[in-house]
Amino acid sequence: AERLQEATYKVVTSADLDGALRAGLAHLAEAITFDRAHVGLFEADDQWRFRVVHPPGEPLLLNRSIPTTDYPLVLRAAASKRPMLIADTRAEPLWRPGRFTPREIRSWIGVPLVVRDTVIGLLALDSFTPGSFSEEQVQIARTYASQFAVAIENFRLLEEAQRQNRALSALNMILAASNEALTGENRLENVLIE
C-alpha cells in the first residue's frame, strides 16, 4: 500500500504525461517482475500509440501508430474492459507476436486503461518466460493501470483548460483593442459635435 501511495504521488506530481507514466512503470517494476512493460494509448481508426516503455531503451517504437486489429487480445481486453493474463503465449491461439521485440514474449498481462467507462489505452507487461505472472500480479497491474488512466485524463483536462485559457486570452485582447478603438471614435465624435 505504501509503495502504491508513493507511485501515485510520483504520477500525479509529474510535470508531463510521459514523465508520469515512466515514473509509474518504474514503481510497477518494483512490485512485479517483468521483462518489459509499456503503455499504449488508443487513437481514432483502430490505431494505438506506445507512449512509454520500461526499462528505458527497450526496442519499442514510441509515438508511432500501429493498428490494433493486428493484436486480437488487445482488442478483446479493450472490449471487455477487463485485464487479461496469458500464461503461455504459445498456447493462446489469438496471440500475435510483437513486431517490435527481438525476443519472444511468452507470458503477458494486458490491462485496459479506463476513464469514465471508456477504454483509452492499455498497460502491457511482457515476460520472456512462460508462466511468469499470477492473478495477484494482474490485480496489482490493474491498480497501477487505474492510476495511469487517472493521470492521463488529468493531463488531458489540464491541456484542454490551458487551450481554453489561451483562446480566452486572445479573445480578451481582441475585445480590449476593439473597446479602445470605440473609445477613440467616441472622443472624435464628441470633438466634432462641439
Side-chain angles (χ1 to χ4, degrees), residues 139-166:
Q139 294 312 311
I140 293 168
R142 181 183 224 169
T143 302
Y144 277 82
S146 294
Q147 295 300 318
F148 295 166
V150 168
I152 291 164
E153 180 66 1
N154 286 346
F155 277 102
R156 188 195 67 75
L157 291 172
L158 178 62
E159 287 174 0
E160 177 63 20
Q162 289 171 339
R163 187 194 64 74
Q164 287 180 0
N165 192 27
R166 286 189 300 273

Side-chain angles (χ1 to χ4, degrees), residues 79-141:
S80 70
K81 299 178 185 168
R82 296 179 50 207
M84 294 194 71
L85 168 60
I86 307 300
D88 187 350
T89 58
R90 288 185 185 171
E92 173 55 57
L94 292 178
W95 177 257
R96 301 294 179 269
R99 294 180 294 188
F100 311 111
T101 181
R103 294 191 55 198
E104 181 182 11
I105 297 166
R106 293 298 311 278
S107 189
W108 182 78
I109 295 175
V111 185
L113 305 175
V114 182
V115 173
R116 285 187 239 118
D117 206 40
T118 300
V119 178
I120 61 168
L122 186 90
L123 165 64
L125 284 73
D126 305 336
S127 175
F128 303 136
T129 307
S132 292
F133 300 122
S134 67
E135 284 298 330
E136 180 183 340
Q137 291 170 319
V138 171
Q139 294 312 311
I140 293 168

Side-chain angles (χ1 to χ4, degrees), residues 17-18 38 40 42 45 48 52 61 86 97 142 179:
L17 177 57
D18 290 346
H38 56 84
F42 295 137
D45 302 325
W48 67 324
V52 295
L61 297 176
I86 307 300
R142 181 183 224 169
N179 189 32

